[in-house]
Amino acid sequence: MKNKICAIIGAGQGLGQALARRFAKGGYTLALITRSEEGGSAALIAAQEAAPELAHEYYQADATKPKELEDTLKKIILNKGDITTLIYNVRGGYAPNDPLDMSYNDVESILNLEVVGAFAAAKSVLPDMLTKSSGNIIFSSATAAFRGSGTNPLYAIGKFGLRGLSQSLAKAYGKNGVHVTHVRLDCELDVPDVRQWMGDEFEIDKTSNVDDVAETYWWTHEQPKSAWSNEIEIRPYSENWTY
Amino acid sequence: MKNKICAIIGAGQGLGQALARRFAKGGYTLALITRSEEGGSAALIAAQEAAPELAHEYYQADATKPKELEDTLKKIILNKGDITTLIYNVRGGYAPNDPLDMSYNDVESILNLEVVGAFAAAKSVLPDMLTKSSGNIIFSSATAAFRGSGTNPLYAIGKFGLRGLSQSLAKAYGKNGVHVTHVRLDCELDVPDVRQWMGDEFEIDKTSNVDDVAETYWWTHEQPKSAWSNEIEIRPYSENWTY
Amino acid sequence: MKNKICAIIGAGQGLGQALARRFAKGGYTLALITRSEEGGSAALIAAQEAAPELAHEYYQADATKPKELEDTLKKIILNKGDITTLIYNVRGGYAPNDPLDMSYNDVESILNLEVVGAFAAAKSVLPDMLTKSSGNIIFSSATAAFRGSGTNPLYAIGKFGLRGLSQSLAKAYGKNGVHVTHVRLDCELDVPDVRQWMGDEFEIDKTSNVDDVAETYWWTHEQPKSAWSNEIEIRPYSENWTY
Amino acid sequence: MKNKICAIIGAGQGLGQALARRFAKGGYTLALITRSEEGGSAALIAAQEAAPELAHEYYQADATKPKELEDTLKKIILNKGDITTLIYNVRGGYAPNDPLDMSYNDVESILNLEVVGAFAAAKSVLPDMLTKSSGNIIFSSATAAFRGSGTNPLYAIGKFGLRGLSQSLAKAYGKNGVHVTHVRLDCELDVPDVRQWMGDEFEIDKTSNVDDVAETYWWTHEQPKSAWSNEIEIRPYSENWTY
């Protein structure tokens, strides 16, 4: 029997490695894709520790370059077999900025990463999923996909576009048995970047644990096809509910 | 060790009995509440078959009468112990109607059932949950909570109110460790009522299987508290996406 | 030629009197309804100053009593002629409260005011509007209709229900030429109650001027029927955008 | 006294010429920008007929090229004076397509048109508006900005991104007195393209008249700053409400 393959684009040290661990634990062979090898090695180790018997692998690709990403995914399929679960887990930088300080290139880059790259990933695996009438595509997203931001406009613009893509794919291909899910992370994650960025203000209880978050990815991927969720929200119990 | 108690209000032959089966299978002793004994017996049998060793029980109460519902829940707590999971799974009738044909009493009744009754149920279990900093309250709702209807206005009015209540409880008590969830059933269920109502137009692939739906209730109830969902949607893969 | 009649339920000293002024200025004879005569007299004076030549009148009715409200509206129609614009502009009290402190009667009362009363008002004027294929029904609502509140649950529950009603009426009767609009006041109004309630924290620039708000009511009521808005939001330029 | 200038990007034969007519009638000198001269001449004639005394002008620019659009707007400002109202009224083609048939270039192009181009337009006029603490930026959008589409994914992806941009600009610059509005056209317009596209199925009562729609653009541009709308929806009374 062939291995089940899960490809994660954006398999870094944060949520990426928790997703790698969870899906490895669930019997998947992981294909882990990041832009830099440094980010990917944490996820690779996590997968190997969770399921040492499976041939997890790391691949380097830049998700802002759709052809490069497509070629990498095709190479994975050729080497390891068809991808049955695809997780697109990228995001741009944290730095806030005034909208007027955005360059045209900034806007194009975030749209390339969040929308064109997400489409390239889906396009690379969908034909096979349609043939088999099964498969999961999960997009990591955020509350920024639901409301614009005067201080982080790039993040909002990208995630809005990603959500439009996700809904369009769900509506087009759900009936063919492909489960497309948009996960709204309405939370700060307990990851190294956030700890560093928040400094003394970091409170673990105000953040979501990445392994806890990964449980929900696993669960939605397990939903029977008569009862799917297409958009899922996640937040800690301590949510301050600013709205 | 004391038993874990799950109370289901609206534990009828449809989704109610599937929820009873799922939570019994998960180790819960079920307290099943319906207006008529006939509806409740199917759910009771489902629970007994799934976990015959547990002392599941059926109770009669009218959810449109908040005091009667509260008294019943207090009796359950006295007899069986604290309720750790409460599922409010009622709904009004299917019959469509023109808004102008609604009587004032029709509107009051649906609001009593969907909002006041839901509040009475929550109010009966919350103080104990707050003391323990844990517990689950799950409301069965529908797409009608998200958009009004020119042909089923009563259903929409009730579910809108229920959603307002659910969000308010989630925002008030989440930080105390109580997980409040609103489940939007964006689907017809494969239940006897729907089969009868749709007649020849019934297609099993266009409906959600109640046991499949119950899996999601179980799952959200299992979510670790750093990564909760507060509103969940469910629909079959075959969803026609009229919007 | 018969006068155009505009009935305002909740025609108090705040937005109510500004609406009375604006519609009187636009040529309407005002029928002003409040629970207490004190509230209504400010609106009556505003209408009389704006259009002294028209026979504006004040009526007393309790909007939580649907039959009483219906009888009052029927009396207005008998005395003054058909109501072509109806504005339902009521709201409950400001006092915040913990959801668990709500009595069943509190919940029923707010639903009576916001939903059953709104329905009684609409039901009293709709048959005539349907006959004439024209007419406007405008509901004053709030951001509370869009998201629950852990600290003002009654307000949210009522406004959610009102929005469900408003959408249902719009969908049922728009095609008959009746324009139903839900106005989301995403703002504090510059009215005596708010000035008193906020005390030293009151800043005029953070609030909406009631005459400015009334302009939007007037405008939506003027929209040609090929291009209607059914839900409108209003906020000051200074909005802090907590979400 | 200097003329008030309104720039319309996408000033074609449909809504564009109605907007030109309405704002010319309201005393604005129009700067009309389209990709092809043919489209722009209808709008120019409409403006000239509505206000022959004002020096309306047509400019050619490709909105998918942000630098070209910026240069054109700067030329307008140099020639005619500061732009006080900017309307971004572009849209991609009507042709439906399967998501998998989209090329990467298709996705990039629609994002360039709907998001990068909209940003270039706003960026060209905002600094002056901020200096003056006034000005209007209005984006023509659609229901596609609110829900994805399995059959018109490009349209949805672009409009989602546009809405994210619009909200971000509103949140960043509203407090500086610049009114940013996103108009959701939840309708087919009665324009030559739609008549041709729908053929025998065209029914005038099911569409929105472009002059009626333009009234709402005018009105929101007139809203006093204590009571703004930031997102407005427009649909005909005959709306079929598929959702």
Side-chain angles (χ1 to χ4, degrees), chain A residues 70 98 100 102 104 123 148 167 171 173, chain D residues 70 98 100 102 104 123 148 167 171 173:
Chain A
E70 182 184 326
D98 187 283
L100 278 178
M102 301 189 295
Y104 301 136
K123 192 183 172 92
Q167 288 188 2
K171 291 183 178 186
Y173 304 120
Chain D
E70 182 183 325
D98 187 282
L100 278 178
M102 301 189 295
Y104 300 136
K123 192 181 172 94
Q167 289 188 2
K171 291 182 178 186
Y173 303 120

mmCIF file with all atom_site columns, all heavy atoms in Angstrom, chain A residues 70 98 100 102 104 123 148 167 171 173, chain D residues 70 98 100 102 104 123 148 167 171 173:
data_model
loop_
_atom_site.group_PDB
_atom_site.id
_atom_site.type_symbol
_atom_site.label_atom_id
_atom_site.label_alt_id
_atom_site.label_comp_id
_atom_site.label_asym_id
_atom_site.label_entity_id
_atom_site.label_seq_id
_atom_site.pdbx_PDB_ins_code
_atom_site.Cartn_x
_atom_site.Cartn_y
_atom_site.Cartn_z
_atom_site.occupancy
_atom_site.B_iso_or_equiv
_atom_site.pdbx_formal_charge
_atom_site.auth_seq_id
_atom_site.auth_comp_id
_atom_site.auth_asym_id
_atom_site.auth_atom_id
_atom_site.pdbx_PDB_model_num
ATOM 1   N N   . GLU A 1 70  ? 4.962   25.069 -8.193  1.00 0.00 ? 70  GLU A N   1
ATOM 2   C CA  . GLU A 1 70  ? 4.332   23.984 -8.953  1.00 0.00 ? 70  GLU A CA  1
ATOM 3   C C   . GLU A 1 70  ? 5.355   22.899 -9.291  1.00 0.00 ? 70  GLU A C   1
ATOM 4   O O   . GLU A 1 70  ? 5.079   21.706 -9.125  1.00 0.00 ? 70  GLU A O   1
ATOM 5   C CB  . GLU A 1 70  ? 3.717   24.565 -10.234 1.00 0.00 ? 70  GLU A CB  1
ATOM 6   C CG  . GLU A 1 70  ? 3.000   23.522 -11.078 1.00 0.00 ? 70  GLU A CG  1
ATOM 7   C CD  . GLU A 1 70  ? 2.471   24.097 -12.400 1.00 0.00 ? 70  GLU A CD  1
ATOM 8   O OE1 . GLU A 1 70  ? 2.057   25.282 -12.427 1.00 0.00 ? 70  GLU A OE1 1
ATOM 9   O OE2 . GLU A 1 70  ? 2.493   23.358 -13.402 1.00 0.00 ? 70  GLU A OE2 1
ATOM 10  N N   . ASP A 1 98  ? 1.885   52.020 7.590   1.00 0.00 ? 98  ASP A N   1
ATOM 11  C CA  . ASP A 1 98  ? 0.840   52.911 7.113   1.00 0.00 ? 98  ASP A CA  1
ATOM 12  C C   . ASP A 1 98  ? 0.534   52.535 5.657   1.00 0.00 ? 98  ASP A C   1
ATOM 13  O O   . ASP A 1 98  ? 1.463   52.281 4.891   1.00 0.00 ? 98  ASP A O   1
ATOM 14  C CB  . ASP A 1 98  ? 1.396   54.336 7.213   1.00 0.00 ? 98  ASP A CB  1
ATOM 15  C CG  . ASP A 1 98  ? 0.356   55.374 6.899   1.00 0.00 ? 98  ASP A CG  1
ATOM 16  O OD1 . ASP A 1 98  ? 0.054   55.577 5.701   1.00 0.00 ? 98  ASP A OD1 1
ATOM 17  O OD2 . ASP A 1 98  ? -0.155  55.986 7.846   1.00 0.00 ? 98  ASP A OD2 1
ATOM 18  N N   . LEU A 1 100 ? -0.108  54.225 3.118   1.00 0.00 ? 100 LEU A N   1
ATOM 19  C CA  . LEU A 1 100 ? 0.589   55.056 2.132   1.00 0.00 ? 100 LEU A CA  1
ATOM 20  C C   . LEU A 1 100 ? 2.065   54.721 2.015   1.00 0.00 ? 100 LEU A C   1
ATOM 21  O O   . LEU A 1 100 ? 2.728   55.128 1.063   1.00 0.00 ? 100 LEU A O   1
ATOM 22  C CB  . LEU A 1 100 ? 0.413   56.543 2.466   1.00 0.00 ? 100 LEU A CB  1
ATOM 23  C CG  . LEU A 1 100 ? -0.909  57.142 1.988   1.00 0.00 ? 100 LEU A CG  1
ATOM 24  C CD1 . LEU A 1 100 ? -1.013  58.596 2.402   1.00 0.00 ? 100 LEU A CD1 1
ATOM 25  C CD2 . LEU A 1 100 ? -1.053  57.005 0.478   1.00 0.00 ? 100 LEU A CD2 1
ATOM 26  N N   . MET A 1 102 ? 3.094   51.679 1.655   1.00 0.00 ? 102 MET A N   1
ATOM 27  C CA  . MET A 1 102 ? 3.236   50.471 0.840   1.00 0.00 ? 102 MET A CA  1
ATOM 28  C C   . MET A 1 102 ? 3.701   50.870 -0.567  1.00 0.00 ? 102 MET A C   1
ATOM 29  O O   . MET A 1 102 ? 3.161   51.804 -1.168  1.00 0.00 ? 102 MET A O   1
ATOM 30  C CB  . MET A 1 102 ? 1.888   49.743 0.694   1.00 0.00 ? 102 MET A CB  1
ATOM 31  C CG  . MET A 1 102 ? 1.253   49.305 2.002   1.00 0.00 ? 102 MET A CG  1
ATOM 32  S SD  . MET A 1 102 ? -0.203  48.219 1.773   1.00 0.00 ? 102 MET A SD  1
ATOM 33  C CE  . MET A 1 102 ? -1.391  49.315 0.956   1.00 0.00 ? 102 MET A CE  1
ATOM 34  N N   . TYR A 1 104 ? 4.056   49.668 -4.627  1.00 0.00 ? 104 TYR A N   1
ATOM 35  C CA  . TYR A 1 104 ? 3.280   48.756 -5.485  1.00 0.00 ? 104 TYR A CA  1
ATOM 36  C C   . TYR A 1 104 ? 3.855   47.354 -5.396  1.00 0.00 ? 104 TYR A C   1
ATOM 37  O O   . TYR A 1 104 ? 3.135   46.360 -5.402  1.00 0.00 ? 104 TYR A O   1
ATOM 38  C CB  . TYR A 1 104 ? 3.277   49.252 -6.933  1.00 0.00 ? 104 TYR A CB  1
ATOM 39  C CG  . TYR A 1 104 ? 2.695   50.639 -7.069  1.00 0.00 ? 104 TYR A CG  1
ATOM 40  C CD1 . TYR A 1 104 ? 3.295   51.604 -7.869  1.00 0.00 ? 104 TYR A CD1 1
ATOM 41  C CD2 . TYR A 1 104 ? 1.533   50.992 -6.379  1.00 0.00 ? 104 TYR A CD2 1
ATOM 42  C CE1 . TYR A 1 104 ? 2.755   52.874 -7.986  1.00 0.00 ? 104 TYR A CE1 1
ATOM 43  C CE2 . TYR A 1 104 ? 0.993   52.267 -6.486  1.00 0.00 ? 104 TYR A CE2 1
ATOM 44  C CZ  . TYR A 1 104 ? 1.609   53.212 -7.278  1.00 0.00 ? 104 TYR A CZ  1
ATOM 45  O OH  . TYR A 1 104 ? 1.085   54.464 -7.378  1.00 0.00 ? 104 TYR A OH  1
ATOM 46  N N   . LYS A 1 123 ? -3.593  24.193 -7.573  1.00 0.00 ? 123 LYS A N   1
ATOM 47  C CA  . LYS A 1 123 ? -3.620  23.766 -8.981  1.00 0.00 ? 123 LYS A CA  1
ATOM 48  C C   . LYS A 1 123 ? -2.725  22.545 -9.211  1.00 0.00 ? 123 LYS A C   1
ATOM 49  O O   . LYS A 1 123 ? -2.983  21.735 -10.102 1.00 0.00 ? 123 LYS A O   1
ATOM 50  C CB  . LYS A 1 123 ? -3.136  24.953 -9.827  1.00 0.00 ? 123 LYS A CB  1
ATOM 51  C CG  . LYS A 1 123 ? -3.340  24.859 -11.322 1.00 0.00 ? 123 LYS A CG  1
ATOM 52  C CD  . LYS A 1 123 ? -2.730  26.111 -11.980 1.00 0.00 ? 123 LYS A CD  1
ATOM 53  C CE  . LYS A 1 123 ? -2.704  26.036 -13.483 1.00 0.00 ? 123 LYS A CE  1
ATOM 54  N NZ  . LYS A 1 123 ? -3.898  26.615 -14.121 1.00 0.00 ? 123 LYS A NZ  1
ATOM 55  N N   . GLY A 1 148 ? -10.383 44.661 7.314   1.00 0.00 ? 148 GLY A N   1
ATOM 56  C CA  . GLY A 1 148 ? -9.183  45.386 6.942   1.00 0.00 ? 148 GLY A CA  1
ATOM 57  C C   . GLY A 1 148 ? -8.484  45.970 8.147   1.00 0.00 ? 148 GLY A C   1
ATOM 58  O O   . GLY A 1 148 ? -9.003  45.977 9.259   1.00 0.00 ? 148 GLY A O   1
ATOM 59  N N   . GLN A 1 167 ? -12.892 30.153 -0.920  1.00 0.00 ? 167 GLN A N   1
ATOM 60  C CA  . GLN A 1 167 ? -14.332 29.950 -1.116  1.00 0.00 ? 167 GLN A CA  1
ATOM 61  C C   . GLN A 1 167 ? -14.631 29.520 -2.554  1.00 0.00 ? 167 GLN A C   1
ATOM 62  O O   . GLN A 1 167 ? -15.504 28.679 -2.794  1.00 0.00 ? 167 GLN A O   1
ATOM 63  C CB  . GLN A 1 167 ? -15.098 31.240 -0.804  1.00 0.00 ? 167 GLN A CB  1
ATOM 64  C CG  . GLN A 1 167 ? -15.141 31.578 0.686   1.00 0.00 ? 167 GLN A CG  1
ATOM 65  C CD  . GLN A 1 167 ? -16.076 32.749 0.971   1.00 0.00 ? 167 GLN A CD  1
ATOM 66  O OE1 . GLN A 1 167 ? -16.723 33.283 0.094   1.00 0.00 ? 167 GLN A OE1 1
ATOM 67  N NE2 . GLN A 1 167 ? -16.157 33.137 2.236   1.00 0.00 ? 167 GLN A NE2 1
ATOM 68  N N   . LYS A 1 171 ? -16.419 25.991 -3.556  1.00 0.00 ? 171 LYS A N   1
ATOM 69  C CA  . LYS A 1 171 ? -17.669 25.947 -4.308  1.00 0.00 ? 171 LYS A CA  1
ATOM 70  C C   . LYS A 1 171 ? -17.520 25.191 -5.622  1.00 0.00 ? 171 LYS A C   1
ATOM 71  O O   . LYS A 1 171 ? -18.446 24.542 -6.086  1.00 0.00 ? 171 LYS A O   1
ATOM 72  C CB  . LYS A 1 171 ? -18.162 27.379 -4.565  1.00 0.00 ? 171 LYS A CB  1
ATOM 73  C CG  . LYS A 1 171 ? -18.623 28.064 -3.278  1.00 0.00 ? 171 LYS A CG  1
ATOM 74  C CD  . LYS A 1 171 ? -19.177 29.456 -3.529  1.00 0.00 ? 171 LYS A CD  1
ATOM 75  C CE  . LYS A 1 171 ? -19.658 30.054 -2.194  1.00 0.00 ? 171 LYS A CE  1
ATOM 76  N NZ  . LYS A 1 171 ? -20.333 31.351 -2.365  1.00 0.00 ? 171 LYS A NZ  1
ATOM 77  N N   . TYR A 1 173 ? -15.215 22.702 -6.311  1.00 0.00 ? 173 TYR A N   1
ATOM 78  C CA  . TYR A 1 173 ? -14.745 21.318 -6.262  1.00 0.00 ? 173 TYR A CA  1
ATOM 79  C C   . TYR A 1 173 ? -15.244 20.501 -5.083  1.00 0.00 ? 173 TYR A C   1
ATOM 80  O O   . TYR A 1 173 ? -14.974 19.306 -4.998  1.00 0.00 ? 173 TYR A O   1
ATOM 81  C CB  . TYR A 1 173 ? -13.209 21.303 -6.333  1.00 0.00 ? 173 TYR A CB  1
ATOM 82  C CG  . TYR A 1 173 ? -12.703 22.018 -7.572  1.00 0.00 ? 173 TYR A CG  1
ATOM 83  C CD1 . TYR A 1 173 ? -11.864 23.124 -7.472  1.00 0.00 ? 173 TYR A CD1 1
ATOM 84  C CD2 . TYR A 1 173 ? -13.123 21.612 -8.837  1.00 0.00 ? 173 TYR A CD2 1
ATOM 85  C CE1 . TYR A 1 173 ? -11.429 23.800 -8.610  1.00 0.00 ? 173 TYR A CE1 1
ATOM 86  C CE2 . TYR A 1 173 ? -12.704 22.293 -9.980  1.00 0.00 ? 173 TYR A CE2 1
ATOM 87  C CZ  . TYR A 1 173 ? -11.863 23.381 -9.859  1.00 0.00 ? 173 TYR A CZ  1
ATOM 88  O OH  . TYR A 1 173 ? -11.451 24.042 -10.986 1.00 0.00 ? 173 TYR A OH  1
ATOM 89  N N   . GLU D 1 70  ? -0.788  56.341 -11.857 1.00 0.00 ? 70  GLU D N   1
ATOM 90  C CA  . GLU D 1 70  ? -0.317  57.420 -10.975 1.00 0.00 ? 70  GLU D CA  1
ATOM 91  C C   . GLU D 1 70  ? 0.123   58.638 -11.786 1.00 0.00 ? 70  GLU D C   1
ATOM 92  O O   . GLU D 1 70  ? -0.228  59.781 -11.452 1.00 0.00 ? 70  GLU D O   1
ATOM 93  C CB  . GLU D 1 70  ? 0.850   56.899 -10.125 1.00 0.00 ? 70  GLU D CB  1
ATOM 94  C CG  . GLU D 1 70  ? 1.391   57.924 -9.150  1.00 0.00 ? 70  GLU D CG  1
ATOM 95  C CD  . GLU D 1 70  ? 2.612   57.408 -8.366  1.00 0.00 ? 70  GLU D CD  1
ATOM 96  O OE1 . GLU D 1 70  ? 2.675   56.200 -8.043  1.00 0.00 ? 70  GLU D OE1 1
ATOM 97  O OE2 . GLU D 1 70  ? 3.509   58.226 -8.086  1.00 0.00 ? 70  GLU D OE2 1
ATOM 98  N N   . ASP D 1 98  ? -13.726 27.944 -14.988 1.00 0.00 ? 98  ASP D N   1
ATOM 99  C CA  . ASP D 1 98  ? -13.397 26.978 -13.948 1.00 0.00 ? 98  ASP D CA  1
ATOM 100 C C   . ASP D 1 98  ? -12.108 27.448 -13.275 1.00 0.00 ? 98  ASP D C   1
ATOM 101 O O   . ASP D 1 98  ? -11.169 27.872 -13.964 1.00 0.00 ? 98  ASP D O   1
ATOM 102 C CB  . ASP D 1 98  ? -13.188 25.631 -14.634 1.00 0.00 ? 98  ASP D CB  1
ATOM 103 C CG  . ASP D 1 98  ? -13.018 24.509 -13.653 1.00 0.00 ? 98  ASP D CG  1
ATOM 104 O OD1 . ASP D 1 98  ? -11.903 24.387 -13.090 1.00 0.00 ? 98  ASP D OD1 1
ATOM 105 O OD2 . ASP D 1 98  ? -13.968 23.756 -13.433 1.00 0.00 ? 98  ASP D OD2 1
ATOM 106 N N   . LEU D 1 100 ? -9.596  25.934 -12.205 1.00 0.00 ? 100 LEU D N   1
ATOM 107 C CA  . LEU D 1 100 ? -8.394  25.267 -12.716 1.00 0.00 ? 100 LEU D CA  1
ATOM 108 C C   . LEU D 1 100 ? -7.989  25.778 -14.091 1.00 0.00 ? 100 LEU D C   1
ATOM 109 O O   . LEU D 1 100 ? -6.862  25.519 -14.539 1.00 0.00 ? 100 LEU D O   1
ATOM 110 C CB  . LEU D 1 100 ? -8.592  23.752 -12.749 1.00 0.00 ? 100 LEU D CB  1
ATOM 111 C CG  . LEU D 1 100 ? -8.368  23.054 -11.414 1.00 0.00 ? 100 LEU D CG  1
ATOM 112 C CD1 . LEU D 1 100 ? -8.630  21.569 -11.540 1.00 0.00 ? 100 LEU D CD1 1
ATOM 113 C CD2 . LEU D 1 100 ? -6.940  23.294 -10.922 1.00 0.00 ? 100 LEU D CD2 1
ATOM 114 N N   . MET D 1 102 ? -7.756  28.937 -14.724 1.00 0.00 ? 102 MET D N   1
ATOM 115 C CA  . MET D 1 102 ? -7.068  30.224 -14.558 1.00 0.00 ? 102 MET D CA  1
ATOM 116 C C   . MET D 1 102 ? -5.558  30.017 -14.714 1.00 0.00 ? 102 MET D C   1
ATOM 117 O O   . MET D 1 102 ? -4.992  29.079 -14.135 1.00 0.00 ? 102 MET D O   1
ATOM 118 C CB  . MET D 1 102 ? -7.311  30.809 -13.155 1.00 0.00 ? 102 MET D CB  1
ATOM 119 C CG  . MET D 1 102 ? -8.777  31.057 -12.819 1.00 0.00 ? 102 MET D CG  1
ATOM 120 S SD  . MET D 1 102 ? -9.005  31.990 -11.251 1.00 0.00 ? 102 MET D SD  1
ATOM 121 C CE  . MET D 1 102 ? -8.357  30.840 -10.011 1.00 0.00 ? 102 MET D CE  1
ATOM 122 N N   . TYR D 1 104 ? -1.671  31.600 -14.006 1.00 0.00 ? 104 TYR D N   1
ATOM 123 C CA  . TYR D 1 104 ? -1.124  32.474 -12.956 1.00 0.00 ? 104 TYR D CA  1
ATOM 124 C C   . TYR D 1 104 ? -1.231  33.925 -13.398 1.00 0.00 ? 104 TYR D C   1
ATOM 125 O O   . TYR D 1 104 ? -1.495  34.822 -12.604 1.00 0.00 ? 104 TYR D O   1
ATOM 126 C CB  . TYR D 1 104 ? 0.338   32.115 -12.665 1.00 0.00 ? 104 TYR D CB  1
ATOM 127 C CG  . TYR D 1 104 ? 0.492   30.679 -12.191 1.00 0.00 ? 104 TYR D CG  1
ATOM 128 C CD1 . TYR D 1 104 ? 1.515   29.864 -12.678 1.00 0.00 ? 104 TYR D CD1 1
ATOM 129 C CD2 . TYR D 1 104 ? -0.403  30.137 -11.272 1.00 0.00 ? 104 TYR D CD2 1
ATOM 130 C CE1 . TYR D 1 104 ? 1.644   28.547 -12.254 1.00 0.00 ? 104 TYR D CE1 1
ATOM 131 C CE2 . TYR D 1 104 ? -0.280  28.821 -10.852 1.00 0.00 ? 104 TYR D CE2 1
ATOM 132 C CZ  . TYR D 1 104 ? 0.742   28.031 -11.343 1.00 0.00 ? 104 TYR D CZ  1
ATOM 133 O OH  . TYR D 1 104 ? 0.861   26.739 -10.931 1.00 0.00 ? 104 TYR D OH  1
ATOM 134 N N   . LYS D 1 123 ? -3.419  56.209 -3.645  1.00 0.00 ? 123 LYS D N   1
ATOM 135 C CA  . LYS D 1 123 ? -2.111  56.750 -3.244  1.00 0.00 ? 123 LYS D CA  1
ATOM 136 C C   . LYS D 1 123 ? -1.815  58.076 -3.952  1.00 0.00 ? 123 LYS D C   1
ATOM 137 O O   . LYS D 1 123 ? -1.109  58.935 -3.415  1.00 0.00 ? 123 LYS D O   1
ATOM 138 C CB  . LYS D 1 123 ? -1.048  55.710 -3.621  1.00 0.00 ? 123 LYS D CB  1
ATOM 139 C CG  . LYS D 1 123 ? 0.340   55.913 -3.074  1.00 0.00 ? 123 LYS D CG  1
ATOM 140 C CD  . LYS D 1 123 ? 1.249   54.780 -3.596  1.00 0.00 ? 123 LYS D CD  1
ATOM 141 C CE  . LYS D 1 123 ? 2.693   54.984 -3.265  1.00 0.00 ? 123 LYS D CE  1
ATOM 142 N NZ  . LYS D 1 123 ? 3.127   54.323 -2.033  1.00 0.00 ? 123 LYS D NZ  1
ATOM 143 N N   . GLY D 1 148 ? -17.066 33.885 -2.397  1.00 0.00 ? 148 GLY D N   1
ATOM 144 C CA  . GLY D 1 148 ? -16.346 33.324 -3.528  1.00 0.00 ? 148 GLY D CA  1
ATOM 145 C C   . GLY D 1 148 ? -17.290 32.717 -4.541  1.00 0.00 ? 148 GLY D C   1
ATOM 146 O O   . GLY D 1 148 ? -18.491 32.563 -4.294  1.00 0.00 ? 148 GLY D O   1
ATOM 147 N N   . GLN D 1 167 ? -11.291 48.690 3.266   1.00 0.00 ? 167 GLN D N   1
ATOM 148 C CA  . GLN D 1 167 ? -11.445 48.739 4.721   1.00 0.00 ? 167 GLN D CA  1
ATOM 149 C C   . GLN D 1 167 ? -10.168 49.269 5.384   1.00 0.00 ? 167 GLN D C   1
ATOM 150 O O   . GLN D 1 167 ? -10.229 50.024 6.365   1.00 0.00 ? 167 GLN D O   1
ATOM 151 C CB  . GLN D 1 167 ? -11.781 47.356 5.277   1.00 0.00 ? 167 GLN D CB  1
ATOM 152 C CG  . GLN D 1 167 ? -13.185 46.891 4.928   1.00 0.00 ? 167 GLN D CG  1
ATOM 153 C CD  . GLN D 1 167 ? -13.555 45.593 5.656   1.00 0.00 ? 167 GLN D CD  1
ATOM 154 O OE1 . GLN D 1 167 ? -12.767 45.064 6.443   1.00 0.00 ? 167 GLN D OE1 1
ATOM 155 N NE2 . GLN D 1 167 ? -14.741 45.089 5.399   1.00 0.00 ? 167 GLN D NE2 1
ATOM 156 N N   . LYS D 1 171 ? -9.999  52.638 7.656   1.00 0.00 ? 171 LYS D N   1
ATOM 157 C CA  . LYS D 1 171 ? -9.563  52.605 9.049   1.00 0.00 ? 171 LYS D CA  1
ATOM 158 C C   . LYS D 1 171 ? -8.337  53.491 9.286   1.00 0.00 ? 171 LYS D C   1
ATOM 159 O O   . LYS D 1 171 ? -8.183  54.069 10.360  1.00 0.00 ? 171 LYS D O   1
ATOM 160 C CB  . LYS D 1 171 ? -9.264  51.157 9.465   1.00 0.00 ? 171 LYS D CB  1
ATOM 161 C CG  . LYS D 1 171 ? -10.539 50.317 9.549   1.00 0.00 ? 171 LYS D CG  1
ATOM 162 C CD  . LYS D 1 171 ? -10.269 48.893 9.997   1.00 0.00 ? 171 LYS D CD  1
ATOM 163 C CE  . LYS D 1 171 ? -11.594 48.126 10.096  1.00 0.00 ? 171 LYS D CE  1
ATOM 164 N NZ  . LYS D 1 171 ? -11.408 46.774 10.656  1.00 0.00 ? 171 LYS D NZ  1
ATOM 165 N N   . TYR D 1 173 ? -7.447  56.275 7.437   1.00 0.00 ? 173 TYR D N   1
ATOM 166 C CA  . TYR D 1 173 ? -7.523  57.696 7.099   1.00 0.00 ? 173 TYR D CA  1
ATOM 167 C C   . TYR D 1 173 ? -8.872  58.354 7.376   1.00 0.00 ? 173 TYR D C   1
ATOM 168 O O   . TYR D 1 173 ? -9.001  59.571 7.204   1.00 0.00 ? 173 TYR D O   1
ATOM 169 C CB  . TYR D 1 173 ? -7.107  57.892 5.638   1.00 0.00 ? 173 TYR D CB  1
ATOM 170 C CG  . TYR D 1 173 ? -5.728  57.340 5.370   1.00 0.00 ? 173 TYR D CG  1
ATOM 171 C CD1 . TYR D 1 173 ? -5.517  56.333 4.440   1.00 0.00 ? 173 TYR D CD1 1
ATOM 172 C CD2 . TYR D 1 173 ? -4.633  57.804 6.100   1.00 0.00 ? 173 TYR D CD2 1
ATOM 173 C CE1 . TYR D 1 173 ? -4.242  55.800 4.229   1.00 0.00 ? 173 TYR D CE1 1
ATOM 174 C CE2 . TYR D 1 173 ? -3.358  57.278 5.903   1.00 0.00 ? 173 TYR D CE2 1
ATOM 175 C CZ  . TYR D 1 173 ? -3.171  56.274 4.965   1.00 0.00 ? 173 TYR D CZ  1
ATOM 176 O OH  . TYR D 1 173 ? -1.930  55.756 4.778   1.00 0.00 ? 173 TYR D OH  1
#
